[in-house]
Amino acid sequence: MSSPAPAIQASDLSKVVEDSSGTLSILHNISLTVPAGESLAIVGASGSGKSTLLSLLAGLDVPSAGRVMLCGREMFSMGEDERAAHRARHIGFVFQSFQLIAHLTALENVMLPLELRGDREARAKATAMLTRVGLGQRLKHRPALLSGGEQQRVALARAFVVHPDILMADEPTGSLDHATGQAVMDLMFELNRENGTTLVLVTHDAQIAQRCHSQIRIGAGCILAEPEVRMPA
């Protein structure tokens, strides 16, 4: 019996940009594989290229060289619109800055990706997901009236409500205090297990990285060691 195709497979990814000082190599020959349903932590110092790698894996940025297979499609053989549609079908995002829409309520923020898909049950599904993350009493609150931890839970609900095949998170606890960040990560891993979602996580927190199936360390735009495989917490 053949093994299922990996959720993500990157081959020889490089990213080079030109600036006033000349050519800057951000990433150099990155190759990695993320099996479906598993979790990968991308760790490294600030400026090492972690977030750039995440953007390339998601097809948000275009590499100077290399390829990314995501859920069975080669991302950069597609045009920008087709790539965006493929991303919308398969990926959920959680960011350090939450990226909630300020004039929408928590419920409306979570409903939005469902409405974009034409889902007639958007309100019911968004309500259920916000209740699942402990915000059933905060449905009508706008982001400015929510704490940082509550805003990040809204962002998690928005990401998971469409049941993505892959969740990508970029420093999701970076703007939270330790206790709140720990609670948010507990919830993220719990939702990840419940949904069977593949998780790719950029973090500087070694304890968070240890909870993933594997991790890679980026330094000076290169993988410094082979992925370390472990049993997730």
Side-chain angles (χ1 to χ4, degrees):
M1 184 176 178
S2 60
S3 300
I8 304 173
Q9 189 163 29
S11 304
D12 299 320
L13 278 183
S14 295
K15 183 67 176 179
V16 177
V17 298
E18 300 286 340
D19 64 12
S20 58
S21 62
T23 300
L24 176 64
S25 179
I26 300 175
L27 293 172
H28 180 65
N29 287 351
I30 300 287
S31 296
L32 60 86
T33 298
V34 187
E38 295 197 2
S39 52
L40 170 70
I42 303 171
V43 300
S46 178
S48 60
K50 303 187 303 297
S51 294
T52 298
L53 176 57
L54 193 71
S55 292
L56 292 175
L57 294 177
L60 290 167
D61 195 5
V62 178
S64 302
R67 64 199 298 264
V68 172
M69 293 290 297
L70 188 144
C71 294
R73 296 287 302 278
E74 206 289 302
M75 293 296 283
F76 305 110
S77 67
M78 295 184 268
E80 186 174 344
D81 290 346
E82 189 179 4
R83 190 162 62 243
H86 187 67
R87 185 166 54 242
R89 283 193 297 271
H90 295 288
I91 305 178
F93 291 95
V94 179
F95 299 98
Q96 176 179 339
S97 57
F98 316 137
Q99 295 195 1
L100 301 178
I101 299 175
H103 68 273
L104 299 182
T105 64
L107 179 61
E108 291 166 342
N109 267 282
V110 178
M111 286 174 62
L112 185 59
L114 292 167
E115 290 176 328
L116 291 173
R117 294 182 173 196
D119 193 322
R120 296 182 179 180
E121 298 180 4
R123 180 173 295 273
K125 290 179 179 179
T127 299
M129 183 56 72
L130 281 165
T131 301
R132 172 66 186 79
V133 301
L135 293 176
Q137 304 303 312
R138 310 285 272 173
L139 302 180
K140 296 182 180 180
H141 288 69
R142 290 184 171 84
L145 298 177
L146 301 173
S147 69
E150 287 173 332
Q151 289 184 58
Q152 193 60 294
R153 280 188 279 159
V154 174
L156 274 177
R158 182 180 59 187
F160 275 106
V161 76
V162 294
H163 298 286
D165 296 307
I166 300 168
L167 180 73
M168 294 189 174
D170 192 358
E171 297 284 10
T173 62
S175 58
L176 304 176
D177 63 75
H178 178 75
T180 303
Q182 184 67 44
V184 165
M185 289 311 304
D186 288 345
L187 179 60
M188 179 180 290
F189 281 106
E190 186 176 336
L191 290 171
N192 190 60
R193 286 192 296 269
E194 287 178 7
N195 289 271
T197 306
T198 303
L199 175 62
V200 181
L201 175 69
V202 166
T203 184
H204 65 277
D205 189 319
Q207 289 185 328
I208 293 174
Q210 290 281 335
R211 299 180 67 173
C212 294
H213 287 95
S214 60
Q215 59 178 287
I216 58 171
R217 181 170 296 277
I218 303 293
C222 298
I223 294 179
L224 298 180
E226 288 301 308
E228 182 181 352
V229 178
R230 63 183 68 254
M231 292 300 294

